[in-house]
Each structure stands twice: as structure tokens, then as C-alpha cells.
């Protein structure tokens, strides 16, 4: 092979070949095991950087590996095109969102292809296509029919920049997850999905997620947040008003010394009305309204409050306790009221110290009597009840149940289960989204669009900006005006659009049969392909997309519309790519363009480095200089193969015998089969392509040294196997080498290399020699040497005799294939 490694010619050739031959096009095949491998589809943001490549290149390598392992692999791709990114870009650049999306999709498809990332493009979907969002609207209607969608006037998290309502999961530390702008509270008519109805179901079924990262499962369990406890009724000092709270610690009820309300609590205005503190309390509430559930979750959060001037009566002991408003009390959890027990809760303790409120001990640690005046922190653990009336001396864990039963007897409480999760806010006051398929009729009320009238098309608008919390669609009279499907009277369309999260919570179902026109998916195809066997994407979606998707699938399953209870069997979350000490991000200006790498070094170099950079589940530092190392590896392999190509192409396929080989041939074949074994194990073990590539780099050194000494048919075996081992990681390069070895068809129609254990086995192993447990040397012995043979070596081997130096051997500890420990006196 005289020519140099010309990736600019090789890579486009094979990319065209794969597309022309439909290499990744699949259909049902009951003769093979199926594998639905899915990468989370992207927002069509315009360009992919190499940080994105860690997701998509990894997924492509897995797909290619599994195809060679004999699986019938479904690998589709599409575009999560609705939502704020497209709309904000359209506003910024003055172009319609649909055009912005189309241009970006075209460029990102080009980037996928240039990197050798292939999909079954027949199945491509775009969530902003009416042929897709028709069925998103259908999902909405099914949720409404099931009583899981409802409209309510409620305070919502409102992004001041995006001018849109946000779900709690989209708010981070009081700011918009996407743009970072402050989030405020706004009262709006909103659509919600009743995900709380499925809270326990979602929690219970986390036990089914055995092939998910434990950290993701834990995050979902914590977000759902089941708490068992008691609901307690405290009576206001007017003798009539009940202020209710939820507590998981009814055992501490006798230690309540004040009560805190969340600033959003609806009773506050009436409680302080006409009092001297009314204006001060209301000003405090306005300044401390919660956004996104961030407040109160951090122990280090500055605790602040204001006394209302009113008191509550503790139902278990009649104590009169001051009523405060506190910024760490949360309306979203429990009922917006907190019975404060400073001696046994650290937040209450800090608040009490700050405002000089009483601290009362009602639980003592084992063998200790706490002194409230000397406490430096709260005691939150179990212990023995004290100063708790008839419950004194009882273990606090037992007192939880006993005090709850006492509350029930006196009519002041009840045992309840609460969840942290709140209903899913599904509507948005934005233009670029699927219209909510509902009609508002003065006679019939809220009425669903008939399924036969779907899709409700999104009209073309030139002005997209939200005005005063109203969707731009509200000003489009042709869209708004319609007739009620029930009574035929003039009616109005719902003008909010569906949050883009719903578009991505069922897309994996559409991929099973995206060409269906009369139904969202073909039931036979859904049953064959679902669940997704391997899902690949970012951990940042733990309590958004991943949790929402589980909910939607469970709801559809209960409606008899899908065959699975869980959408994703296995989940892999890739680590982030770090550049200059920070996560690679366009906003930080530290992105690396894959186009530049492909242009300079080729797609296979980019793929190899992306996979080689480190364990795929962990963060990894990108260094431009290290990319060259992978390019040099490919070039060296190309050059070494070139030295043997003429011989290899015409050689017969090696079929044995394995006897009569030279020592060099035995060693060469051993290295080859050991590498095949290692690569198989590394890829099967959490997709550790990094160590698989390292094994191939080590193999190349041995091939360079020993291949010239081997007969032609063994050289053919070596290079043909090398090509198949590299195929998932460097597919263009592998195809070219495979073809030049005389291989027929695509390398991806071949079986992934297996190994012969007898060929791969080392004839001898280094056995550690210890004297009195300390390493003193090593000796080579046959693999599988018995304990008895090791003991004989200990007394006869020259190295062992020298190490003992004539001392008396008292004992020999022999562990086959590991060590000999000689105990001497």
C-alpha cells in the first residue's frame, strides 16, 4: 500500500455506501434478538460541539457493536424542535422559528453524517411537524379523558426574561434553568397533569430500574419524596380558625414552641387583617414568596421571619404558641405550616436562636438528659420521650404512632402520607409549541377537540412576544374564534401551548412506526420494539424528561394503549467534557467544533479520541494535543497494514491447524485473541471503549514486531480481526481495511470477533514469591500449576532456594496462579 492514509477520500465513500445500502434500516425480525438503542434527541440548536459527541458517538459505537453481535438494532433520531430555544432565537434574529429549526436540522444532520454517526433516517421525526404534534395533542386528550389533565388558577413560577411559566423542575436557585433570569410568582389560569396521582406508582416502580445509575434513581425517589406522618390541627386564638400542618415527627409535638407559615399561605391576609402588624407582615410575604421550591431546602439558607401578633393553641398540651411567617416554610410541602420544635430540628433551632424564641426538650438521647439552655445544635435523632405527658419514657419511634392515635381520638389530627412532587405544569404562554387541543365554551365549559379534528395547527405569526402573561395566539382572532364541538355555539380556542417536555415524553413510541397516519404508533411495532433497551443521555434530565416519560407511559399503559409499564430498560448517563477547567458550553466560549477535527484529522480520529478520553460515565478533560495521538495510531496501523496488504489480500483464510506454528506465530495469535477477549469484555462492561482502544494500541506494537515473521494466512487473520475489533470505534477505517484484506460485504455484516480461550491463554504466569509475607521475587510457572506443585517449587526452585538462604522452612502457603509464601524461622 503505497498511498498515505487519505481519510478525506475514505470517509465520505463509506458514509455514502452505508446510506445507499440502508445499513441502519431495520424492521421486525423474530429470528434475532432485538435491541432498541436510543440517544436522547437534541434541540436543533444549530451546531454540535465535541461535548455533544460523547453522547452520540458513544451511542453509534454501541449500535455498531450490537449489530455485529447479531442483534436486530433500532437506532432512530429526531429533533426536539418546539420550545424556548427556537422561539428566542427567532425573536433575536428576526426569522420564523420554523425556518430557524429547518436550517439547524440540516446542519446538524450534516454533522452527524460527517462523524459517521448513522441512524435509520427513514424514522426521522420533528416535534414541530404537524404530523408529529397531532399525536402530542392526542396524548393530551387521552390524559384529559383519564382525568389526569385539568385547568386551575394557580400561582406559577414566571421567568421574567423568557416570559413563560416554568415547572418547579425548571427553576434552579430561584432562576430560570435555561436563561438564568430571576423567577417570580404569577397568578395564572394554567393546565396541569395530575402526576401526583402516580406518585406512589412511580416510587414503587423505581425497583424495576435495575439497569439505571443509582444516582438517577435516588434523585427521582427524593423528588417524589414520600413522607409518612400526621396532619395536626392547631386552633387560632380566635377559637375558630384551624391552621393545619403536616409533620413526620409527631413524637416532637409536645416540644412545639412557635409555629411558622409559608409567605404564600392563603390564611395570612385574614389572620393579620386589622392588626398593627398587617402591613409589615404583608410586605415580608411579598418579598419572600417562593420560586421553584428552592427556598428552605438548604440548611445554610439565611432564616428570616416576622411575628404576626397572633397565637395558636397546641392540641396536645394546650400551650399558647406564637405564630410567625418564616421564609424556610414551604407551601408546596405539607400544608404551608410548620410546627417548630427548636430542640429537635436544626432549622427551627437556628430560627429560635436568632429571634430568642423558647427551646423545649422532649426527646433525650440514650442515657443523657439534655439541657435546652446548653444546647449548641438540635438533637434530631430517636431517643426517649420526656416532658411529653402520658408518653414520658416511651421510645420516640413508638411515640410517633401513639401520639398520632391520640390526635385521632381527640379530633385534632390524622395519619397521612405526603409527597414532595407537585402536579406537572404543562401549559406555556408562548407561540412556538403545539396548541392545547381544548375549546372554551360559555355554555359547555372546557371542551376537548374531537380527535378527528386533530391536529390543531399552529398559525404563522410575525410577532411572537408574550404580552402580560398572555400567549401571542390570544391576539390571533382567526385562530381563537371557533365553534363548540358539543353545542355548536361560538367558542374560543385555548391559546396556551403545550410545554415541549410532553413532546419528548412519548417520542420513543413514535419511532417504532413514524409513518403511521391514522394512529400515533402501530401497536404491533410498539409491542415488538418497546421498551427502549438502552437509553443514552445526560443526567441533567433525571427529574424532568426521565420522570415525566415514566409517568406518561404508565398513564398510557393504564389506558391500554401501550404494552410496557416502564419506557427505558437500561439507562446510561455519559460524563461531561471539560475544557479549560469548565464544562464545555457555547455560553462559556470553550467549545471545540467537531467540524474542525474532522477536517484536519478525520471522523475516525474524532471518534477514537472521544471514546478514548476516559471512562464514559465520568467527566473528562479535552486537550487538543491529545487528539493527534489517536490520529498517529490510525496512521501507524495504516502503514503497517500497507506493508502486508499485497500478501494478505491473496492469502487464504487461516483455518488451522494450531499445531506446527512457530513461536512467533503462536505469540502473535495469542496477542490477537487476548485483545479480542479484552475488547469484548470492556465494551460489555459499561461501554468502556477507552480501555478497549488501549488494548488495540498495545496489540499494534506486537503486530508490528511479529507479523513480518508470520505466514500469510495468519497475517490475514490478524488484520481482518483487527478491522472487525476496531469497527464500532473507527468504522470508516475498519471498512477500508476489511475490504483490502479481501473481506466481502460491509464489515458490519460480519460477526464481532470472539476468541479461543486456549489460544489466548498465557503458557506461563509470574508467581509472586514472599518470605514471611514480604515480596522477595517472582518466578515463571505454567498456568494452572497445582498447590502441590507450587510447594515443590518452593523447596527446589533455584530462586526460592537463594531467597531462603539456608534458613529453616516452617510453613509454605501456596495459592495457585498467584503466590508462594515461604515462612522461615
Amino acid at each position: 500500500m503505497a498511498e498515505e492514509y487519505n481519510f478525506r477520500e475514505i470517509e465520505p465513500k463509506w458514509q455514502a455506501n452505508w446510506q445507499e445500502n440502508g445499513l441502519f434500516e431495520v424492521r421486525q425480525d423474530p429470528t434475532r434478538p432485538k435491541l432498541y438503542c436510543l440517544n436522547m434527541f437534541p434541540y436543533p440548536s444549530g451546531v454540535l460541539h465535541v461535548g455533544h459527541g460523547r453522547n452520540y458517538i458513544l451511542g453509534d459505537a454501541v449500535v455498531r457493536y450490537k449489530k455485529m453481535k447479531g442483534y436486530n438494532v433500532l437506532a432512530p433520531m429526531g429533533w426536539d424542535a418546539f420550545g424556548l430555544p427556537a422561539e428566542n432565537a427567532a425573536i433575536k434574529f428576526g426569522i420564523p422559528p420554523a425556518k430557524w429549526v429547518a436550517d439547524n436540522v440540516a446542519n446538524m444532520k450534516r454533522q452527524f453524517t460527517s462523524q459517521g454517526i448513522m441512524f435509520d433516517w427513514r424514522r426521522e421525526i420533528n416535534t414541530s411537524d404537524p404530523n408529529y404534534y397531532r399525536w402530542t395533542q392526542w396524548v393530551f386528550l387521552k390524559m384529559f379523558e383519564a382525568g389526569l389533565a385539568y385547568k386551575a388558577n394557580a400561582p406559577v413560577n414566571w421567568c421574567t426574561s423568557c416570559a413563560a411559566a416554568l415547572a418547579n423542575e425548571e427553576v434552579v436557585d430561584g432562576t430560570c434553568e435555561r436563561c438564568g433570569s430571576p423567577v417570580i410568582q404569577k397568578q395564572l389560569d394554567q393546565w396541569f397533569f395530575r402526576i401526583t396521582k402516580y406518585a406512589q406508582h412511580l416510587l414503587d416502580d423505581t425497583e424495576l430500574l435495575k439497569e439505571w445509575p443509582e444516582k438517577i434513581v435516588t434523585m427521582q425517589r427524593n423528588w417524589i419524596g414520600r413522607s409518612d406522618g400526621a396532619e395536626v390541627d392547631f386552633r387560632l386564638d380566635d377559637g375558630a380558625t384551624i391552621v393545619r400542618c403536616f409533620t413526620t415527627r409527631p413524637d416532637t409535638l409536645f416540644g412545639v414552641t412557635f409555629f411558622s407559615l409559608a409567605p404564600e399561605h392563603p390564611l395570612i391576609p385574614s389572620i393579620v387583617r386589622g392588626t398593627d402588624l398587617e402591613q409589615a407582615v404583608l410586605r415580608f410575604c411579598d418579598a419572600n414568596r417562593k420560586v421553584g421550591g428552592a427556598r428552605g431546602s438548604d440548611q445554610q439558607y439565611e432564616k428570616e421571619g416576622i411575628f404576626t401578633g397572633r397565637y395558636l393553641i397546641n392540641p396536645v398540651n394546650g400551650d399558647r404558641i406564637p405564630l410567625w411567617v418564616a421564609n424556610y416554610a414551604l407551601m408546596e410541602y405539607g400544608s404551608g405550616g410548620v410546627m417548630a420544635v427548636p430542640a429537635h430540628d436544626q432549622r427551627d433551632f437556628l430560627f429560635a436562636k436568632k429571634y430568642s424564641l423558647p427551646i423545649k426538650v422532649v426527646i433525650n438521647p440514650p442515657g443523657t438528659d439534655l439541657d435546652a439552655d446548653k444546647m449548641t445544635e438540635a438533637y434530631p435523632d430517636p431517643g426517649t420521650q420526656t416532658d411529653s405527658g402520658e408518653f414520658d419514657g416511651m421510645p420516640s419511634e413508638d411515640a410517633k404512632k401513639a401520639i398520632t392515635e391520640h390526635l385521632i381520638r381527640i379530633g385534632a389530627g390524622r395519619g397521612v402520607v405526603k409527597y414532595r412532587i407537585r402536579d406537572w405544569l404543562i401549559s406555556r404562554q408562548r407561540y412556538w409549541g403545539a396548541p392545547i387541543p381544548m375549546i372554551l365554551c360559555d355554555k359547555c365549559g372546557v371542551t376537548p377537540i374531537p380527535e378527528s379534528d386533530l391536529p390543531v395547527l399552529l398559525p404563522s405569526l410575525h410577532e411572537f412576544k408574550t404580552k402580560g402573561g398572555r400567549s401571542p395566539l390570544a391576539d390571533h382572532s382567526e385562530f381563537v374564534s371557533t365553534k363548540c364541538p358539543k353545542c355548536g355555539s361560538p367558542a374560543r380556542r385555548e391559546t396556551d401551548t403545550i410545554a415541549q417536555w410532553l413532546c419528548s415524553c412519548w417520542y420513543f413510541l413514535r419511532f417504532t412506526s413514524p409513518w403511521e397516519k391514522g394512529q400515533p404508533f402501530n401497536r404491533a411495532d410498539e409491542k415488538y420494539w418497546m421498551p427502549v433497551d438502552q437509553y443514552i443521555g445526560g443526567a441533567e434530565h433525571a427529574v424532568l424528561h426521565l420522570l415525566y416519560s415514566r409517568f406518561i407511559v404508565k398513564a398510557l399503559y393504564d389506558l391500554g394503549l401501550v404494552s410496557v409499564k416502564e419506557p427505558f430498560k437500561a439507562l446510561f448517563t455519559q460524563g461531561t467534557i471539560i475544557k479549560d477547567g469548565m464544562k464545555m458550553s457555547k455560553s462559556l466560549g470553550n467549545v471545540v467544533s467537531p467540524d474542525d477535527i474532522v477536517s484536519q484529522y478525520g471522523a475516525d480520529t474524532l471518534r477514537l479520541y472521544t471514546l478514548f478520553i476516559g471512562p464514559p460515565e465520568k467527566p473528562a478533560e479535552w486537550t487538543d494535543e491529545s487528539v493527534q495521538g489517536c490520529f498517529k495510531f490510525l496512521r501507524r496501523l495504516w502503514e503497517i497494514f500497507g506493508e502486508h496488504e499485497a500478501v494478505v489480500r491473496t492469502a487464504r483464510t487461516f483455518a488451522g491447524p494450531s499445531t506446527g506454528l512457530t513461536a512467533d506465530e503462536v505469540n502473535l495469535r495469542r496477542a490477537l485473541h487476548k485483545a479480542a477477549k479484552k475488547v469484548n469484555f470492556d465494551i460489555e462492561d459499561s461501554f468502556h471503549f477507552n480501555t478497549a482502544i488501549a488494548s488495540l494500541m498495545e496489540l499494534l506494537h506486537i503486530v508490528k514486531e511479529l507479523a513480518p515473521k508470520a505466514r500469510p494466512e495468519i497475517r490475514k487473520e490478524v488484520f481482518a480481526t483487527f478491522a472487525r475489533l476496531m469497527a464500532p470505534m473507527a468504522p470508516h477505517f475498519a471498512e477500508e481495511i476489511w475490504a483490502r484484506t479481501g473481506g466481502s460485504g460491509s464489515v458490519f455484516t460480519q460477526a464481532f470477533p470472539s476468541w479461543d480461550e486456549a489460544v489466548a491463554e498465557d503458557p506461563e504466569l509470574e508467581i509472586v514469591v514472599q518470605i514471611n509475607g514480604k515480596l522477595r521475587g517472582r518466578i515463571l510457572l505454567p498456568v494452572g500449576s497445582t498447590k502441590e506443585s507450587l510447594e515443590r517449587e518452593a523447596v527446589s526452585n533455584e530462586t526460592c532456594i537463594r531467597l531462603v538462604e539456608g534458613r529453616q522452612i516452617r510453613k509454605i502457603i501456596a495459592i495457585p496462579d498467584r503466590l508462594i509464601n515461604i515462612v522461615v524461622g
Side-chain angles (χ1 to χ4, degrees):
M1 191 192 306
E3 74 270 26
E4 293 185 355
Y5 169 44
N6 188 349
F7 61 84
R8 294 184 180 89
E9 179 181 299
I10 292 170
E11 292 178 351
K13 176 181 72 174
W14 287 109
Q15 290 162 9
N17 178 278
W18 297 330
Q19 291 179 345
E20 290 168 5
N21 291 292
L23 183 65
F24 288 81
E25 295 178 4
V26 292
R27 54 191 55 82
Q28 289 190 36
D29 183 355
T31 66
R32 292 187 290 160
K34 72 92 177 176
L35 184 94
Y36 185 175
C37 184
L38 183 63
N39 285 91
M40 293 182 183
F41 67 168
Y43 293 110
S45 56
V47 293
L48 299 167
H49 59 67
V50 297
H52 300 125
R54 201 171 199 201
N55 180 15
Y56 299 111
I57 290 172
L58 174 68
D60 185 75
V62 171
V63 166
R64 292 175 184 272
Y65 170 75
K66 291 294 187 179
K67 281 178 69 70
M68 297 178 74
K69 281 288 189 176
Y71 286 85
N72 188 34
V73 184
L74 171 60
M77 182 47 62
W79 313 97
D80 193 8
F82 268 144
L84 286 172
E87 186 167 337
N88 286 343
I91 293 171
K92 179 179 180 181
F93 299 112
I95 58 174
K99 176 173 172 45
W100 186 83
V101 165
D103 291 345
N104 288 345
V105 164
N107 188 57
M108 292 171 74
K109 283 185 73 173
R110 175 195 62 78
Q111 286 189 296
F112 277 139
T113 300
S114 72
Q115 296 172 49
I117 301 170
M118 307 300 292
F119 303 102
D120 185 348
W121 284 114
R122 299 173 308 154
R123 299 172 184 264
E124 179 182 5
I125 61 176
N126 184 315
T127 62
S128 63
D129 183 340
N131 291 320
Y132 181 86
Y133 72 71
R134 168 187 182 180
W135 301 112
T136 300
Q137 293 171 339
W138 176 87
V139 172
F140 188 101
L141 291 178
K142 293 303 175 186
M143 300 294 282
F144 182 79
E145 290 172 15
L148 296 173
Y150 66 94
K151 192 172 189 178
N153 186 269
V156 297
N157 304 311
W158 184 263
C159 175
T160 53
S161 175
C162 298
L166 306 177
N168 280 349
E169 294 87 343
E170 297 174 285
V171 181
V172 179
D173 296 329
T175 63
C176 175
E177 179 188 50
R178 178 158 297 279
C179 73
S181 299
V183 174
I184 62 173
Q185 288 283 290
K186 195 177 185 74
Q187 198 81 15
L188 293 174
D189 286 336
Q190 297 284 293
W191 281 94
F192 295 87
F193 278 177
R194 212 179 300 274
I195 193 173
T196 50
K197 185 176 178 180
Y198 278 77
Q200 190 59 47
H201 198 177
L202 288 163
L203 191 61
D204 290 342
D205 283 357
T206 57
E207 297 298 328
L208 303 177
L209 309 180
K210 299 183 185 302
E211 297 181 59
W212 284 40
E214 183 56 37
K215 66 177 181 180
I216 302 297
V217 176
T218 298
M219 289 172 71
Q220 290 208 359
R221 287 172 178 156
N222 291 342
W223 190 260
I224 296 167
R226 175 183 168 123
S227 295
D228 294 81
E231 203 167 55
V232 187
D233 295 340
F234 287 74
R235 193 172 298 275
L236 191 65
D237 52 13
D238 63 2
T241 305
I242 297 296
V243 180
R244 187 165 291 160
C245 77
F246 170 76
T247 179
T248 60
R249 297 292 308 275
D251 53 321
T252 65
L253 194 52
F254 285 83
V256 175
T257 61
F258 65 97
F259 196 103
S260 297
L261 293 176
E264 303 83 18
H265 201 290
L267 284 178
I268 291 174
S270 62
I271 287 174
V272 298
R273 186 175 296 123
T275 68
D276 293 341
L277 296 174
E278 179 179 6
Q279 293 306 313
V281 170
L282 295 180
R283 282 195 299 271
F284 178 86
C285 292
D286 288 340
N288 287 275
R289 292 187 186 278
K290 169 201 69 71
V291 287
R295 197 190 67 236
S297 60
D298 187 350
Q299 290 282 6
Q300 301 305 313
Y301 194 95
E302 180 64 26
K303 311 298 182 293
E304 295 182 350
I306 186 169
F307 180 44
T308 65
R310 304 296 297 273
Y311 291 84
L312 298 179
I313 306 302
N314 188 330
V316 296
N317 58 12
D319 283 356
R320 191 168 179 264
I321 57 176
L323 178 60
W324 286 66
V325 179
N327 65 354
Y328 69 90
L330 300 180
M331 196 67 213
E332 67 195 32
Y333 183 73
S335 54
V338 176
M339 54 173 239
V341 189
H344 305 294
D345 181 276
Q346 186 64 17
R347 294 177 307 169
D348 297 342
F349 181 85
L350 294 174
F351 193 91
K353 285 291 187 180
K354 180 174 182 176
Y355 292 102
S356 301
L357 295 167
I359 298 173
K360 180 181 179 183
V361 173
V362 292
I363 298 175
N364 278 320
T368 305
D369 289 336
L370 294 175
D371 185 341
D373 294 334
K374 297 179 179 179
M375 293 179 71
T376 58
E377 61 181 2
Y379 174 72
D381 299 325
T384 303
Q385 296 293 137
T386 185
D387 205 2
S388 299
E390 65 186 88
F391 306 100
D392 277 1
M394 182 179 291
S396 60
E397 291 299 304
D398 296 339
K400 290 180 179 179
K401 180 179 179 181
I403 293 176
T404 300
E405 291 173 347
H406 176 69
L407 289 169
I408 295 172
R409 285 195 301 272
I410 64 175
R414 60 215 57 87
V416 295
V417 175
K418 293 280 186 177
Y419 298 91
R420 179 177 183 266
I421 193 171
R422 299 272 71 87
D423 279 343
W424 173 10
L425 174 60
I426 196 67
S427 55
R428 297 292 185 269
Q429 296 70 41
R430 300 297 298 231
Y431 165 66
W432 191 238
I436 291 177
M438 305 298 289
I439 288 174
L440 310 177
C441 174
D442 291 337
K443 295 181 180 179
C444 304
V446 177
T447 304
I449 296 284
E451 287 184 23
S452 59
D453 290 348
L454 297 180
V456 178
L457 292 173
L458 186 67
S460 296
L461 294 186
H462 299 291
E463 176 62 52
F464 321 123
K465 291 184 179 180
T466 300
K467 299 177 181 178
R470 295 168 66 246
S471 166
L473 294 176
D475 296 324
H476 193 281
S477 58
E478 292 181 12
F479 174 82
V480 175
S481 298
T482 187
K483 290 185 178 181
C484 175
K486 284 186 177 181
C487 69
S489 300
R492 305 174 305 283
R493 291 192 189 278
E494 172 62 69
T495 57
D496 282 1
T497 52
I498 299 173
Q500 73 273 19
W501 294 109
L502 182 58
C503 301
S504 63
C505 287
W506 75 277
Y507 79 112
F508 39 85
L509 296 167
R510 183 65 175 172
F511 273 141
T512 64
S513 48
W515 36 77
E516 290 290 329
K517 297 185 182 300
Q519 54 187 339
F521 43 83
N522 180 282
R523 291 299 303 276
D525 287 332
E526 180 273 325
K527 189 173 183 179
Y528 173 79
W529 287 112
M530 288 296 292
V532 174
D533 297 284
Q534 183 62 66
Y535 203 26
I536 301 173
E540 66 272 17
H541 297 295
V543 295
L544 283 164
H545 165 65
L546 290 170
L547 185 61
Y548 291 165
S549 296
R550 294 183 61 220
F551 164 57
I552 293 296
V553 166
K554 289 183 184 303
L556 294 178
Y557 177 84
D558 287 348
L559 291 170
L561 298 171
V562 297
S563 63
V564 295
K565 293 182 179 180
E566 286 288 341
F568 314 121
K569 180 182 177 185
L571 172 68
F572 186 88
T573 54
Q574 79 280 356
T576 56
I577 294 291
I578 309 298
K579 185 74 162 63
D580 303 326
M582 298 176 291
K583 177 182 176 181
M584 193 171 287
S585 169
K586 184 178 179 181
S587 63
L588 297 174
N590 65 341
V591 300
V592 175
S593 169
D595 292 349
D596 295 341
I597 305 296
V598 170
S599 174
Q600 188 172 1
Y601 299 109
D604 284 334
T605 294
L606 171 65
R607 292 171 64 101
L608 277 179
Y609 182 61
T610 300
L611 296 168
F612 185 60
I613 197 170
E617 72 277 9
K618 296 182 179 179
E621 181 77 27
W622 181 279
T623 58
D624 297 332
E625 298 78 12
S626 299
V627 175
Q628 300 177 30
C630 289
F631 179 69
K632 291 176 181 177
F633 165 66
L634 290 175
R635 193 168 57 186
R636 281 198 303 271
L637 176 54
W638 181 265
E639 292 169 353
I640 292 169
F641 175 69
E643 298 168 4
H644 301 273
E645 181 183 358
V647 173
V648 166
R649 182 186 292 273
T650 58
R652 66 179 178 87
T653 301
F654 179 74
S658 57
T659 57
L661 303 181
T662 67
D664 287 331
E665 290 173 334
V666 169
N667 289 334
L668 178 59
R669 295 193 73 236
R670 179 184 301 117
L672 180 67
H673 282 251
K674 285 179 67 175
K677 178 180 180 180
K678 183 74 162 57
V679 170
N680 273 274
F681 274 88
D682 287 345
I683 297 177
E684 292 289 346
D685 178 23
S686 300
F687 311 140
H688 282 175
F689 289 95
N690 56 316
T691 49
I693 293 169
S695 298
L696 294 176
M697 291 177 172
E698 294 173 7
L699 175 62
L700 183 58
H701 293 297
I702 299 172
V703 170
K704 180 179 181 181
E705 177 187 354
L706 298 182
K709 305 173 185 179
R711 65 193 72 182
E713 56 267 34
I714 291 180
R715 282 186 266 174
K716 188 182 188 78
E717 177 194 23
V718 167
F719 287 108
T721 302
F722 213 128
R724 288 184 292 142
L725 288 172
M726 287 190 64
M729 294 85 86
H732 316 83
F733 189 97
E735 287 276 30
E736 189 71 16
I737 296 294
W738 172 255
R740 290 177 182 243
T741 62
S744 61
S746 169
V747 70
F748 296 103
T749 63
Q750 311 302 309
F752 197 76
S754 57
W755 67 97
D756 186 323
E757 195 66 54
V759 175
E761 186 177 71
D762 285 308
E764 292 183 322
L765 282 176
E766 276 193 341
I767 302 297
V768 169
V769 178
Q770 297 178 340
I771 305 297
N772 291 342
K774 294 184 178 180
L775 175 63
R776 289 290 183 258
R778 292 179 173 85
I779 59 175
L780 285 174
L781 292 175
V783 172
S785 296
T786 64
K787 184 173 182 291
E788 292 74 18
S789 64
L790 292 181
E791 291 172 350
R792 287 194 297 272
E793 285 291 329
V795 296
S796 62
N797 183 277
E798 291 184 4
T799 300
C800 293
I801 293 172
R802 178 174 51 80
L803 292 172
V804 171
E805 295 180 347
R807 288 177 286 177
Q808 182 180 1
I809 297 176
R810 296 186 180 278
K811 185 178 181 181
I812 298 174
I813 301 171
I815 302 177
D817 292 341
R818 289 187 59 189
L819 65 81
I820 299 171
N821 182 21
I822 305 172
V823 180
V824 300

